[in-house]
Amino acid sequence: MRIIGVYNIKGGVGKTATAVNLAYLSALDGYRTLVWDLDPQGAASYYFRIKPRIKGGGRKMIRGKRELDDNIKGSDFDRLDLLPADFSYRNMDLILGEQRSPAKRLLKLLRPLSHEYDRVFLDCPPSISLVSENIFRAADALLVPTIPTTLSLRTYEQLVEFLDGHKVRGVRRMPFFSMVDRRKRMHLDMIERLPSIYPEVLKTHIPYASDVERMGLHRAPLGKYAMGSPAGRAYQQLWEEVKQEMEAHSRL
Ligand SMILES: Nc1ncnc2c1ncn2[C@@H]1O[C@H](COP(=O)(O)OP(=O)(O)OP(=O)(O)O)[C@@H](O)[C@H]1O
Ligand SMILES: [Mg+2]
């Protein structure tokens, strides 16, 4: 089982779109795939047409009183399951704080699933918190959708500082450009600059495209209704690149 966190300190950068679209492609590729919707807003659950609700509430599950398995739901797609969000996740930091080894709780909860799933995607809420630290410590790869603006560079620096400062070493950082508008000078500048500062930036760009926005109307991954569109193809390319990166580093 390999765990892929999709994370950015910033909101609205395309985290959920990435988790949902890549998980769909992963399942299509033959991997038994799970998406854990960790955001109390429940957007990933919404895209998969699954009620954002955990039986007995999130606290019980995080405390280990109820198996993760009991709450996993099948999606409309083969090999693709979802662990839904719950409104109680808004207090996830408090719940995690009550546990022993609070920063490694999610990893501990996920371990028993290692024989059932090949790939797990964690769709994270924005902000930097105990929830995010859990994600950093659980994930083998950390996908960071980044809109190519100056502010995003600062945000990515903060993430790198946090990981270094907290000695999070087991995770491979994979930032990539998201919502790219090639008509914007600033986007082009940042696309040129960032990889020279951070060579780990992936090569694939996800364009700004209304096809992605329409996921909310279709309540489905992009691959279901617009696989051949420019954005659909970009997500396929991103998945190929992530897969290759993971294969190239045997640890992953
Ligand atoms: N490449 C794209 N082109 C155009 N719109 C996009 C693109 N990616 C995402 N969006 C839209 O932007 C909004 C935010 O995207 P998304 O929910 O994936 O971001 P997020 O980082 O998960 O946000 P949050 O921080 O609130 O969880 C959504 O309405 C989504 O449809
Ligand atoms: Mg989101």
Side-chain angles (χ1 to χ4, degrees), residues 3-10 13-23 34-36 38-39 120-127 132 135-136 139-146 159 171 174 176 178 235 238 242:
I3 302 175
I4 302 165
V6 187
Y7 176 78
N8 192 315
I9 302 173
K10 270 171 75 66
V13 297
K15 296 182 293 296
T16 301
T18 302
V20 167
N21 289 327
L22 294 195
L34 176 71
V35 177
W36 189 351
L38 285 160
D39 189 336
V120 176
F121 287 85
L122 304 176
D123 183 27
C124 312
S127 89
S132 13
I135 283 139
F136 307 152
D140 299 288
L142 194 63
L143 278 170
V144 188
T146 301
L159 172 61
V171 63
M174 298 188 189
F176 67 93
S178 162
Y235 276 112
L238 180 64
V242 169

Side-chain angles (χ1 to χ4, degrees), residues 11-17 39 41 47 126 179 206-209 212-213:
V13 297
K15 296 182 293 296
T16 301
D39 189 336
Q41 295 178 93
Y47 287 135
M179 297 178 154
I206 304 297
Y208 190 91
V212 182
E213 288 175 302

Side-chain angles (χ1 to χ4, degrees), residues 63-162:
R63 287 176 66 195
K65 301 276 181 223
R66 202 185 259 274
E67 299 269 329
L68 251 51
D69 241 355
D70 286 354
N71 279 297
I72 291 176
K73 300 274 191 294
S75 72
D76 294 342
F77 311 105
D78 290 343
R79 293 178 296 278
L80 182 52
D81 293 344
L82 182 96
L83 185 52
D86 190 84
F87 195 53
S88 62
Y89 284 2
R90 70 194 186 284
N91 299 318
M92 180 86 94
D93 259 28
L94 294 174
I95 306 172
L96 289 168
E98 295 163 357
Q99 311 305 312
R100 248 181 285 141
S101 311
K104 290 190 178 155
R105 188 70 200 160
L106 296 189
L107 179 60
K108 187 164 181 219
L109 290 169
L110 280 166
R111 275 202 186 115
L113 297 177
S114 63
H115 299 294
E116 286 171 61
Y117 293 101
D118 305 307
R119 297 290 177 265
V120 176
F121 287 85
L122 304 176
D123 183 27
C124 312
S127 89
I128 196 142
S129 60
L130 194 48
V131 180
S132 13
E133 194 177 346
N134 263 271
I135 283 139
F136 307 152
R137 300 211 182 262
D140 299 288
L142 194 63
L143 278 170
V144 188
T146 301
I147 303 175
T149 61
T150 331
L151 191 62
S152 301
L153 171 61
R154 180 71 205 113
T155 311
Y156 188 66
E157 276 167 0
Q158 285 173 334
L159 172 61
V160 172
E161 278 165 22
F162 184 93

Side-chain angles (χ1 to χ4, degrees), residues 131-231:
V131 180
S132 13
E133 194 177 346
N134 263 271
I135 283 139
F136 307 152
R137 300 211 182 262
D140 299 288
L142 194 63
L143 278 170
V144 188
T146 301
I147 303 175
T149 61
T150 331
L151 191 62
S152 301
L153 171 61
R154 180 71 205 113
T155 311
Y156 188 66
E157 276 167 0
Q158 285 173 334
L159 172 61
V160 172
E161 278 165 22
F162 184 93
L163 294 175
D164 289 348
H166 288 74
K167 302 194 168 41
V168 182
R169 301 225 169 85
V171 63
R172 189 165 179 85
R173 304 189 307 249
M174 298 188 189
F176 67 93
F177 292 116
S178 162
M179 297 178 154
V180 172
D181 183 349
R182 303 194 68 84
R183 292 166 305 184
K184 291 187 177 155
R185 180 83 249 151
M186 193 203 252
H187 280 210
L188 296 176
D189 285 350
M190 283 308 296
I191 287 172
E192 209 172 290
R193 254 181 75 200
L194 200 64
S196 63
I197 310 172
Y198 294 107
E200 68 266 35
V201 177
L202 300 183
K203 290 185 183 63
T204 308
H205 304 163
I206 304 297
Y208 190 91
S210 50
D211 284 328
V212 182
E213 288 175 302
R214 288 198 291 122
M215 285 170 67
L217 295 175
H218 291 275
R219 293 189 72 181
L222 192 52
K224 179 75 177 26
Y225 62 90
M227 186 72 111
S229 67

